Amino acid sequence: MPSLKLENVAKHFGGLKAVDKVSMEVPPGEITGLIGPNGAGKSTVVNMISGVLALTEGDITVDGVSVATDRADIVARKGVARTFQNIRLLPEATVLDNVMIGFHRREEAGVLAQMLGLPAARRDTKRFEEKAWDLLRRFRMEDFAEYEAGNLAYGHQRRVEMMRAIAAEPDIVLLDEPVAGMNDVESDELATIFRELADSGMGLLLIEHNVGFVTRLCKKVYVLDSGRMIASGDPEAVVRDPQVVAAYIGTSGH
Ligand SMILES: Nc1ncnc2c1ncn2[C@@H]1O[C@H](COP(=O)(O)OP(=O)(O)O)[C@@H](O)[C@H]1O
Ligand SMILES: [Mg+2]
């Protein structure tokens, strides 16, 4: 399983250094945390990795190969999936269909074959449907399969987004505040799923405001503040780092 690496990555928006020479690694089989106050640059990091935003400087590699100039669809095909801080679903499609969209990357028979209804495509569809049901069960969402995604409660919409992101069995998944707005029971259920995904070999990057949640789940944590990496390492040590404590003062509640 490949590792994701950022080397001296920067993103400038005009005069603003939203991300300033950041280096980090998301190894396989682990949950890596990225924390920091609002506006620290966390989502910008995810947007650069996933090919949504171009880098100003630096390099991003997957398995040692640069993906820094790849478009979003290419990065996805290379095994890097993501969720969005602001949920993006097809609100009028069913939960099942939203999950099915996630299989697109591994679609073996191809879109044309599907349109023509060729047997290989029908086999793919059937196989994907079975896999989609596996995911729905794993996320305890099978009762909602035929619901319109847009009508679901917020926490359930987040689950749909996550199922879609991992449907294609990515090597690396970037989760931008996946438990925001969830209660403790819901976030604990997701924590269990995150651990299972990491145990299966996937590399997870978990962006989160809730420091306790990250500390419990992550092997290593990186801390961004105003675009700069101010600390990294063992979660217990990082959250006691005076610079990190200072960065969070006055921002608790976010
Ligand atoms: N597309 C953009 N254009 C201009 N400024 C942006 C853009 N995206 C983010 N920013 C700015 O970059 C900084 C980091 O934002 P963001 O990455 O969203 O932070 P975080 O996710 O840590 O809250 C903020 O000051 C934000 O206003
Ligand atoms: Mg953000």
Side-chain angles (χ1 to χ4, degrees):
M1 284 279 203
S3 198
L4 169 76
K5 281 188 188 144
L6 279 70
E7 288 160 32
N8 293 315
V9 169
K11 180 69 191 179
H12 302 170
F13 293 114
L16 173 73
K17 293 183 174 177
V19 174
D20 191 13
K21 291 200 166 52
V22 159
S23 297
M24 58 187 290
E25 181 172 4
V26 182
E30 281 176 28
I31 308 174
T32 302
L34 178 59
I35 62 173
N38 250 339
K42 305 180 296 297
S43 292
T44 302
V45 165
V46 170
N47 287 333
M48 284 191 284
I49 298 170
S50 57
V52 172
L53 280 176
L55 283 65
T56 306
E57 279 171 36
D59 198 11
I60 300 175
T61 59
V62 176
D63 208 9
V65 179
S66 180
V67 296
T69 59
D70 287 344
R71 286 194 327 247
D73 56 320
I74 306 290
V75 178
R77 216 165 299 152
K78 288 182 176 172
V80 182
R82 69 168 294 178
T83 62
F84 290 88
Q85 185 168 0
N86 304 310
I87 300 173
R88 296 186 191 181
L89 296 171
L90 295 178
E92 280 158 25
T94 64
V95 166
L96 183 62
D97 283 342
N98 270 281
V99 176
M100 291 288 286
I101 291 163
F103 291 109
H104 194 69
R105 181 171 85 88
R106 290 280 162 88
E107 208 176 344
E108 283 143 29
V111 177
L112 185 61
Q114 293 224 331
M115 278 163 47
L116 297 173
L118 297 179
R122 281 204 297 272
R123 272 200 302 277
D124 271 1
T125 306
K126 182 116 186 40
R127 200 160 47 83
F128 290 152
E129 248 170 39
E130 282 163 14
K131 283 189 163 187
W133 278 102
D134 285 344
L135 277 172
L136 288 167
R137 279 188 286 271
R138 187 168 184 181
F139 281 78
R140 299 191 194 171
M141 287 290 288
E142 64 267 42
D143 291 344
F144 298 97
E146 301 301 333
Y147 278 51
E148 271 186 30
N151 288 340
L152 295 175
Y154 187 69
H156 286 135
Q157 293 199 23
R158 285 228 165 269
R159 287 176 189 225
V160 176
E161 225 204 357
M162 232 168 289
M163 287 189 281
R164 188 183 55 191
I166 65 168
E169 293 166 11
D171 300 316
I172 291 144
V173 61
L174 317 169
L175 301 164
D176 197 352
E177 303 201 22
V179 299
M182 288 190 182
N183 63 38
D184 286 351
V185 175
E186 289 176 315
S187 47
D188 280 349
E189 282 176 11
L190 280 179
T192 305
I193 293 170
F194 296 162
R195 275 202 203 92
E196 286 170 10
L197 293 174
D199 288 344
S200 77
M202 216 178 263
L204 277 69
L205 181 65
L206 174 64
I207 293 181
E208 199 32 64
H209 258 304
N210 181 336
V211 175
F213 188 77
V214 171
T215 316
R216 268 186 287 132
L217 271 178
C218 297
K219 187 155 179 187
K220 182 167 183 179
V221 172
Y222 292 89
V223 189
L224 266 182
D225 185 30
S226 304
R228 286 174 312 109
M229 200 66 87
I230 58 168
S232 67
D234 172 67
E236 300 287 345
V238 159
V239 297
R240 271 184 268 120
D241 183 309
Q243 255 192 298
V244 176
V245 174
Y248 270 91
I249 285 175
T251 67
S252 57
H254 280 296

